[in-house]
Amino acid sequence: MKPAAFTYHRPATLDEALALMSDLAPEAKPLAGGQSLGPMLNMRLANPAHLVDLNDLTELGRIRDLGDAIEVGALARHHQLADSALLSQHCPLLVQCAQSIGHYAIRQRGTLGGSLAHADPAAQLALAAITLGATLTLVRRGGHRELAALDFLQAAMTTALLPDELLLSVRFPKFAAREASALRLFSRRHGDFGIVSVATCVALDGDRVSRLRLGVGGVAPVPQRLDSITRPFEQQRANAAWVTAVADAVAQAVQPEDDPRIPAEYRRELAHTMVVRALDSALQQLKKTRP
């Protein structure tokens, strides 16, 4: 199939792009990597009258150290995240998530902003943003605003972006000194979205857990950060019994929808298994870096 007719625009500056989005809203759709939008246009699931191509706005692809956080521009490609030494040092979960996305060609074109704006419930970068407590900067002609990832991702394929807004950048807090992360996902084939995915960050003080962050994707319309579940497990000793107890609590808490092809109970069991594997991986990393 081919997309319906649209008018193509390729702004050279951010101001020009914002002017187009303002003047043409709500009939305009921004184009970043196009890895999701392209197929949707071809299948006519998206039918914008105007397509605003952002790919000349190279300044939106930067990754910067802000001191207590790393700022990633919305046009940063998946492969940039996967290969970034800065992110590997200060925000390794984002690197792990980017490395797991699709295949080589997809990682060369797909963008952080495009993935978050598309808001697929199983997307790895959405899971990373939720788990890490990322802050998103949204911009429109005449102003900007900031939203937590939890507030930006509202439902499946639904975000808080207004018709004339663009996602400008995302800030990810830096990891603590003794903190490790892990991503585990289960999919039918390599490169597919995970049926269930788990992202975790574990920080230790001695042998006790000083901080635990855990997010689960594929069990709800948006990724879930399970702070109310994980908080009671902080300040406990990190051992095999602790890992099992956390996984048990997560499996009891998640409420996946029933699907004829993937029953809810199967997703719940997958969540338990992926939590165990993710926590085991994070703890093994911390053992290797023990002072």
Side-chain angles (χ1 to χ4, degrees):
M1 295 181 66
K2 299 297 181 183
F6 56 80
T7 302
Y8 176 79
H9 308 267
R10 191 167 180 122
T13 66
L14 178 59
D15 286 344
E16 185 182 347
L18 295 176
L20 285 167
M21 293 300 296
S22 177
D23 294 341
L24 302 174
E27 300 300 325
K29 188 77 173 177
L31 171 68
Q35 299 305 286
S36 298
L37 180 58
M40 291 178 70
L41 290 170
N42 286 339
M43 291 186 287
R44 304 201 177 190
L45 297 174
N47 294 289
H50 299 269
L51 199 64
V52 181
D53 188 339
L54 306 178
N55 280 278
D56 281 347
L57 309 184
T58 54
E59 70 273 18
L60 300 188
R62 297 172 183 161
I63 301 174
R64 300 192 300 162
D65 189 336
L66 300 182
D68 60 347
I70 303 297
E71 181 186 72
V72 183
L75 282 186
R77 310 286 175 181
H78 300 332
H79 76 90
Q80 290 177 256
L81 308 182
D83 296 337
S84 170
L86 188 61
L87 288 174
S88 183
Q89 178 182 359
H90 295 296
C91 195
L93 179 63
L94 189 57
V95 173
Q96 294 159 355
C97 287
Q99 290 172 341
S100 74
I101 295 173
H103 302 278
Y104 175 82
I106 291 173
R107 293 192 294 273
Q108 293 297 305
R109 291 296 305 169
T111 64
L112 171 64
S115 178
L116 294 179
H118 184 58
D120 190 295
Q124 293 96 312
L125 295 182
L127 175 62
I130 291 286
T131 304
L132 294 172
T135 300
L136 288 70
T137 299
L138 314 180
V139 64
R140 62 195 300 196
R141 185 161 64 181
H144 72 280
R145 60 186 177 127
E146 294 187 345
L147 283 179
L150 283 167
D151 298 321
F152 178 78
L153 297 164
Q154 297 182 336
M157 311 296 184
T158 304
T159 73
L161 267 174
L162 299 175
D164 62 342
E165 280 185 319
L166 294 174
L167 175 54
L168 186 68
S169 61
V170 186
R171 293 199 311 277
F172 296 91
K174 286 184 177 180
F175 274 40
R178 283 203 71 204
E179 186 169 13
S181 63
L183 170 74
R184 290 294 181 270
L185 59 84
F186 183 88
S187 59
R188 290 188 178 93
R189 299 169 300 182
H190 173 70
D192 285 358
F193 281 127
I195 295 173
V196 170
S197 52
V198 169
T200 190
C201 309
V202 183
L204 293 184
D205 182 4
D207 64 348
R208 291 186 178 273
V209 178
S210 58
R211 186 180 187 188
L212 173 62
R213 293 180 283 179
L214 194 145
V216 182
V219 297
V222 296
Q224 304 291 294
R225 175 167 158 161
L226 304 179
D227 287 351
S228 62
I229 303 302
T230 58
R231 196 171 294 114
F233 292 97
E234 296 180 343
Q235 309 309 321
Q236 296 184 16
R237 284 189 172 85
N239 52 33
W242 176 83
V243 168
T244 300
V246 174
D248 289 344
V250 170
Q252 292 173 13
V254 297
Q255 297 293 327
E257 295 181 0
D258 228 347
D259 185 303
R261 297 173 301 168
I262 308 174
E265 189 58 32
Y266 181 62
R267 288 187 192 269
R268 188 174 291 108
E269 291 177 4
L270 276 180
H272 186 282
T273 300
M274 295 301 108
V275 169
V276 169
R277 292 179 180 177
L279 290 175
D280 279 343
S281 176
L283 293 179
Q284 287 300 318
Q285 294 172 53
L286 288 167
K287 285 182 181 178
K288 293 177 182 178
T289 59
R290 181 176 295 167

